[in-house]
Amino acid sequence: MTLGSKSAVHFGAGNIGRGFVGLLLHEAGYGLVFADVAAPLIEALQATPSYTVHEVGAGGVDHLVDGYDAVNSATQEAELVERIARADIVTTAVGPNILKFVAPVIARGLAARPEGAAPLAVMACENAINATDILEAEVRAAARTEGLGEDAVDAKAIFANTAVDRIVPAQAPGGGLDVRVEPYFEWAIERGPFGDAVPEIPGVTWVDSLGPYIERKLFTVNTGHASAAYFGRVAGKEKIAEAIGDPEIRRKVEAVLAETKALLVAKYGFAPEEQEAYIRKILGRFANAELPDTVDRVGRAPLRKLSRHERFVGPAAELAERGLSADALLGAMGAALRFDAADDDEAQRLQSLLAGEGADLAIAEELTGLGPEHPLHDSVVGLVAEARAGVGG
């Protein structure tokens, strides 16, 4: 492939990478390079000239993605470094815990970047608050081993936090590289780090302050989605649309989102009616029967989802600190403690932890990071005790 006048390297060639971030970069005119450690996926991309992103549901259209390249980041590091060295943008969709593994090659790409080249825009597109800050810290640490000091990194790179939102469900077997996604998406990027040189990426929302936007998305979309998954699995549902279509589960999810709405209104001053409209839109997305999203896929990685600053404990802790109710969120956490999908390593570690000999208090603190001084602590200990007794939910 011959790259165009501007290029982007995207780490993570999975469904989100191909069906969301990579698609928008391609449609913005960037010569796109996918990087991944999954050899079969990279080989398929190298052997296939194009794939299609199918938007399913009302208003959905198909998008052809072609002219891309693909590099195995485990076996083709030298080529990947060279691509990063001359790229305009680097993005990731690999999961927050994997950022530390992609940082060293980004640092080597910065070290190889020609003097005087425009700074490389680095953006982590992950379901985590300020994920680019995490990536930046890892890149700066790795850059020191490449002989780059802080000033050199500042001259060679721009780091901008982002918030991403698009439901990309588990794909049907045999679909090849094609991806099914919902029509709705949001990709917000903080404008400040770019100064007057904001990249042209149609579909991106550029914002001055990303913090409220990130938390609104995390505590509405992610909290609601995971709540539907955990409540749905307890009730024996298979798909998210099926779960949210159950009146009792929907009531529970709505109660969870009423609590996160109370927090967002109190913390950031969102207009209550604006947040309520946002919730209604999100619930409509969950109910999209064209998305074959399963409760097991959405509920995977429960240890991460139950951690201190994630979608349940994060808002519940802040509500408790403000003297506001977090009962519905606690109910969702109780359902999450019962998540035991056999093919999910975190789910199995969670169930092993609950079945072990540790004290309820110690397990609760390990899972949630809440100490005895926190107003939510005793309630979480109670949830763990119920889960261990087989009475949770």
Side-chain angles (χ1 to χ4, degrees):
M1 181 188 92
T2 301
L3 292 176
S5 59
K6 55 183 183 178
S7 65
V9 174
H10 177 76
F11 284 88
N15 297 327
I16 294 173
R18 300 197 313 280
F20 183 10
V21 182
L23 169 64
L24 264 65
L25 291 171
H26 168 76
E27 294 193 334
Y30 286 85
L32 183 59
V33 180
F34 287 109
D36 206 298
V37 296
L41 178 55
I42 290 299
E43 290 166 4
L45 284 164
Q46 291 171 338
T48 309
S50 66
Y51 66 86
T52 301
V53 178
H54 304 278
E55 294 178 350
V56 295
V61 298
D62 288 351
H63 300 264
L64 182 72
V65 180
D66 58 7
Y68 51 79
D69 219 342
V71 177
N72 188 315
S73 49
T75 62
Q76 298 176 285
E77 183 178 301
E79 180 177 350
L80 181 54
V81 167
E82 190 272 334
R83 297 298 186 117
I84 295 169
R86 60 188 177 96
D88 298 279
I89 290 175
V90 165
T91 53
T92 74
V94 295
N97 295 334
I98 306 300
L99 293 174
K100 61 186 176 184
F101 298 113
V102 305
V105 73
I106 295 175
R108 285 190 277 278
L110 291 179
R113 201 166 181 82
E115 292 299 325
L120 176 69
V122 180
M123 298 176 286
C125 306
E126 313 289 350
N127 273 327
I129 295 174
N130 295 335
T132 303
D133 289 348
I134 300 170
L135 179 58
E136 178 179 1
E138 296 287 351
V139 169
R140 287 184 181 276
R144 289 192 287 272
T145 68
E146 301 296 326
L148 295 181
E150 296 296 316
D151 290 345
V153 174
D154 289 341
K156 289 175 175 284
I158 292 170
F159 297 91
N161 281 301
T162 80
V164 292
D165 184 8
R166 181 169 228 176
I167 296 175
V168 182
Q171 305 295 300
L177 294 173
D178 286 5
V179 189
R180 288 164 57 88
V181 302
E182 66 167 334
Y184 176 92
F185 72 86
E186 286 185 317
W187 184 7
I189 305 175
E190 57 183 350
R191 179 187 292 109
F194 293 96
D196 295 329
V198 175
E200 292 184 12
I201 310 175
V204 163
T205 300
W206 296 95
V207 299
D208 293 320
S209 178
L210 197 61
Y213 189 96
I214 291 175
E215 286 207 351
R216 185 177 78 151
K217 185 263 177 179
L218 180 62
F219 295 164
T220 309
V221 180
N222 297 90
T223 301
H225 214 198
S227 297
Y230 294 133
F231 287 134
R233 199 174 200 281
V234 169
K237 308 297 184 182
E238 179 185 357
K239 297 180 179 179
I240 292 294
E242 179 188 3
I244 207 67
D246 181 289
E248 180 61 19
I249 295 173
R250 186 182 179 100
R251 183 193 65 76
K252 291 180 179 180
V253 174
E254 287 176 337
V256 167
L257 296 183
E259 290 180 351
T260 60
K261 170 187 170 181
L263 174 63
L264 292 164
V265 168
K267 185 175 181 180
Y268 293 117
F270 286 115
E273 60 275 14
E274 175 188 342
Q275 182 60 18
E276 185 62 30
Y278 184 64
I279 289 172
R280 295 298 127 195
K281 178 168 62 177
I282 298 310
L283 290 171
R285 294 166 60 198
F286 295 166
N288 184 350
E290 297 294 325
L291 293 173
D293 221 350
T294 66
V295 298
D296 280 5
R297 189 199 76 83
V298 176
R300 67 189 177 189
L303 292 176
R304 176 171 62 84
K305 291 181 170 73
L306 285 166
S307 61
R308 176 64 180 87
H309 298 291
E310 261 282 351
R311 61 205 71 192
F312 295 121
V313 181
E318 290 195 54
L319 284 164
E321 290 162 9
R322 292 171 178 266
L324 300 173
S325 172
D327 290 346
L329 280 159
L330 286 166
M333 291 163 63
L337 289 171
R338 296 176 60 179
F339 187 73
D340 62 352
D343 60 350
D344 183 80
D345 290 343
E346 283 198 18
Q348 294 308 301
R349 290 203 300 274
L350 171 61
Q351 296 310 314
S352 294
L353 183 64
L354 293 173
E357 297 297 326
D360 295 342
L361 183 148
I363 293 172
E365 292 179 7
E366 179 178 347
L367 287 172
T368 67
L370 296 174
E373 74 288 347
H374 197 278
L376 200 67
H377 176 267
D378 291 350
S379 296
V380 172
V381 174
L383 288 180
V384 169
E386 289 181 357
R388 300 184 80 189
V391 186

